[in-house]
Amino acid sequence: MGTSASQHVDYATNEYLLRFVGKESISPNNPFWNRFLSFTLKPPATRIDDETLIQKILPMCEALRENNLQTGNLGSLLHVLFNLSSQLLGSAEMENNMFSWQTFNGLFIVRCFTKYLVQTGKEADLIRHIETKVNGKDPDESVLNSYVNTLIDLIIYMPLVDLTYELHVETINCLLVMLSVQLFTTQSADQLQIYRLMMENDRAEKLSIALVQRYVQQPKPPPPPGGSLLLGFASDVWSYLTGAQGPETSTLANQSVLLVLVLINHCSNPRNPYRETLCSYSDNLGNLLTSICATLDREETTLFLYHLVHRNLNFKTYLLSRSDIESLVLPMLCSVYNAPDNNCHHVYMSLIILLILTEDPLFNKTIHSTMLKSVPWYTERMVLDISLGGLLILVTTRTVQYNLLKMRDKYLHTNCLAALANMSSQFYQLHPYVCQRLIGLFQVLAKTHARANSEQATVQEALRILLEVINSCLSHQLIHNTNLVYTLLYKRQVFEPFQHDPAFQDVIQNINMVIDFFTSKLEKEESQSTDVNVVMSRVQQAAIQWPTERLKKFPELKFKYVEEDKPEEFFIPYVWSLVSQLSNMYWDSALFKQC
């Protein structure tokens, strides 16, 4: 291969690109490829840049589609790449700039043209272009199979050093493009040859582990080296790798987790080796959790966390054993709190994770004993010295109220109320403001219920669960929640309309029993007072005398998350929407058949 760097490519007029897509057949051994792959490419740094690039090279893509079945030039380029990759992986030291540079250029060119073919034809057309005979000769094995194996080998076996960082990113991008064939067909993934190759690959487990490890490492893009022969190329790649994300973001980690999400959410029957590997992953769980906590503002991380919490018992057990659970819970609560600004799916996945965690009694105990000095992002009111559990109650009650007024997504508020129910028997020393918001939500639901609109059944169900939440707290933790008792006394009138309603009567009786007991105790005081501190002190004294056996027993409130039937109908479009938005690659959504 040559050692000199050519000038930046002008895609529309570059003679080598025009020759590549033209009518001349170019064999893999032709010196042309050495010059063709020695240009300093300017990869698109953002999704918008990628869309612009696609428009610029559209005539060449059309020319390649027209001529390639006769020339086989795409196949020739792939054979050149196989040779380059073999030399790169066979090199004892990753110091040969030329191999890395030319492999990157070749993969980028293949990615651009295969993405065009993916979007404009069927999978069979794409494969036919890839498998076209080179110089009339049958290849020793499927070119598609060799291409997939080469990409997988590069991800698994190529050391990650500054020189190979961008090549790792581009390799993942190439796999994402090949797998995006799912977006442009109504066929299920298990009917697509590309997915079958991925699912039947004997290196699936190693690939899964390599991708997860890249995510755990969160490797940052290397800065452009000074004085290098390839300085211009390095500068362009730096722009490509940082893009709109900024230099503090790990492009490689982001692309790795996107590829993991694509692989684990397709082809679930009869088995998916990528999902199985993730379900049993147990290496460096501490580092994995640290990386997750550091990137939970990213939507793909939340979805990745969902799969770990829902399917990986090792990870879930480790997570629940941690004493610093707030490092995980706080970012999720922040996402839910900012629901109007976030994707609804992001909020939904965060709430499901919280629901799964609240199924564990130790988690509920831990969050109610974990105190927070302040919560800067909670802007409705300054909350000081509140428990993490109290903050979870604030955010979920607010979400239920917002959802009923604006989004009206039944599953959203059902998950919120289920999480509240799971925690209710372990509510502990709830902050006065938390108690106000809990009863305040009941007031809002009561007013909505009184209007008898088309959503009355949904509101009635929410009211019932909320009453049971209050009752559960009083039944198990009354002596530790005198702030809630005080709030009930102050807001007793909101429960009166439901005393004789058959849907609520049994639970209301328990709540009224508590209200009546404490009212009686306060009325017996010789000196009546309206001072909050005095009343609270008397409530606390009366709580010691509360006969716990007086309340009617109800079944323990426990909700368990169960994944919907055919979860792929939700997850596959969602995953691809994330890839489309976050991978810095552009697909024409008007052509999508799956999202």
Side-chain angles (χ1 to χ4, degrees), residues 562-575:
V562 178
E563 200 168 68
E564 295 286 324
D565 291 336
K566 298 182 179 179
E568 64 276 4
E569 292 181 0
F570 169 80
F571 285 110
I572 289 176
Y574 181 33
V575 166

Side-chain angles (χ1 to χ4, degrees), residues 497-546:
F498 301 94
Q499 290 182 11
H500 304 294
D501 189 323
F504 311 108
Q505 192 173 17
D506 54 346
V507 191
I508 288 288
Q509 284 177 353
N510 270 4
I511 294 173
N512 279 340
M513 208 175 295
V514 172
I515 292 173
D516 292 344
F517 174 85
F518 282 90
T519 300
S520 173
K521 290 292 183 181
L522 291 175
E523 288 176 347
K524 289 179 181 178
E525 293 289 339
E526 293 182 3
S527 60
Q528 298 297 309
S529 175
T530 57
D531 182 87
V532 174
N533 293 326
V534 173
V535 175
M536 271 302 304
S537 176
R538 291 173 177 175
V539 168
Q540 290 166 359
Q541 292 172 10
I544 299 172
Q545 304 169 40
W546 166 252

Side-chain angles (χ1 to χ4, degrees), residues 23 88-89 173 365:
K23 298 181 181 298
L88 184 64
L89 292 173
N173 287 345
K365 183 177 180 180

Side-chain angles (χ1 to χ4, degrees), residues 152 155-157 202-211 213 277:
I152 292 175
I155 294 172
I156 296 173
Y157 300 114
D202 58 4
R203 283 155 289 191
E205 181 179 356
K206 289 183 178 180
L207 175 60
S208 301
I209 292 172
L211 291 170
Q213 288 175 342
T277 302

